[in-house]
Amino acid sequence: MAETGLAIVECRWWSVGNDSVRPLFETLAGIVEGNPHDIRYYMFADRSSLNCILGEIGNDKLVHSIYIATHGNETELSGLNETKISRTELRNSIRNYNSKGHIKGLYFGSCLIANKKNAEFLLLEGGTRLSWIAGYEQSVDWIDSSAIDMIFWSKYLEERKKHRSKKGPNSKKSEIQMVRDAAKEMKNLMPSIFTQMGFNIYFVSNNASVDSVW
């Protein structure tokens, strides 16, 4: 893997069908980087397999962001057969495997879990070393939310691509500035996304509290 620096971690959505976000992200990688295989893709079934996957991602210094795609609720992610992964279990795995802090962002392609309370828990409590959390605090439609996800990632990965080409420390943007610039472009396209679908991006501000882009 090379330039996107993105790892997709997905659980099977329904007992029938083979619905997956994988082809969406492969198309995105092909458009942005000219290589549809320029992402990491994993499937998990439960907390044990998710933990193993996060361990592998934590050893890959090229990965800067993780997109977790599964059902969720206000405090948990779903695995197969109605198994659950609590926010504490997720936090502990990220803390254990992101000790060097190269994983900057965690994006939930899930309903309900990306609320400010959970963002504070993951960003401030327990040493995950994450810089930002994104996702939905409401229940959302799979198709609608997947389309929104593609818009964010296209804007953000383009920001990172431009960032790579710049020379000199004064021309470089911070991680949060790239996220905020991507969010600004996103909001220009969809100004009501926050109120309609509860989408937001949370980050650690300069005074060590959690703020949001909108």
Side-chain angles (χ1 to χ4, degrees):
M1 189 191 80
E3 306 296 357
T4 67
L6 175 58
I8 312 302
V9 184
E10 186 173 32
C11 185
R12 186 175 179 85
W13 291 95
W14 296 284
S15 59
V16 295
N18 292 309
D19 308 277
S20 173
V21 299
R22 180 174 183 170
L24 302 178
F25 280 97
E26 288 180 340
T27 298
L28 177 61
I31 291 171
V32 176
E33 298 294 348
N35 182 0
H37 305 296
D38 197 16
I39 55 170
R40 292 277 192 232
Y41 179 81
Y42 304 87
M43 289 201 76
F44 74 97
D46 52 22
R47 69 173 66 92
S48 177
S49 55
L50 179 59
N51 186 65
C52 289
I53 289 167
L54 292 175
E56 182 171 328
I57 292 171
N59 288 324
D60 189 342
K61 295 180 180 179
L62 293 176
V63 174
H64 56 72
S65 303
I66 300 174
Y67 176 93
I68 296 183
T70 187
H71 295 296
N73 62 36
E74 289 85 351
T75 59
E76 300 168 314
L77 295 172
S78 295
L80 293 182
N81 300 319
E82 300 184 357
T83 59
K84 301 296 182 184
I85 300 104
S86 71
R87 67 176 193 171
T88 300
E89 290 165 333
L90 177 63
R91 187 273 315 272
N92 291 348
S93 291
I94 296 172
R95 177 188 61 198
N96 292 340
Y97 297 125
N98 195 34
S99 59
K100 295 184 179 179
H102 67 82
I103 299 171
K104 305 298 183 183
L106 179 63
Y107 189 117
F108 290 107
S110 308
C111 295
L112 301 169
I113 196 168
N115 53 63
K116 187 173 184 179
K117 185 176 181 180
N118 289 337
E120 290 173 338
F121 179 78
L122 291 167
L123 291 172
L124 299 180
E125 302 177 31
T128 63
R129 298 179 181 269
L130 294 170
S131 298
W132 57 271
I133 300 284
Y136 306 88
E137 66 175 359
Q138 297 178 18
S139 182
V140 292
D141 177 81
W142 196 92
I143 297 290
D144 292 347
S145 60
S146 295
I148 290 166
D149 298 344
M150 288 300 98
I151 292 172
F152 169 78
W153 286 108
S154 67
K155 301 300 183 185
Y156 173 62
L157 293 178
E158 286 289 357
E159 284 290 329
R160 293 193 67 92
K161 186 176 182 179
K162 290 186 290 185
H163 179 79
R164 295 198 309 267
S165 67
K166 292 181 178 179
K167 307 295 183 182
N170 293 332
S171 65
K172 297 286 188 177
K173 293 181 180 180
S174 69
E175 173 69 18
I176 298 304
Q177 189 58 56
M178 287 188 288
V179 170
R180 296 187 76 164
D181 286 351
K184 182 179 179 180
E185 291 187 52
M186 190 178 180
K187 192 174 183 182
N188 287 338
L189 289 173
M190 299 176 294
S192 63
I193 181 176
F194 174 70
T195 54
Q196 286 188 326
M197 300 187 71
F199 178 86
N200 217 326
I201 306 169
Y202 300 95
F203 61 94
V204 180
S205 65
N206 291 334
N207 62 0
S209 63
V210 170
D211 203 351
S212 62
V213 295
W214 297 332

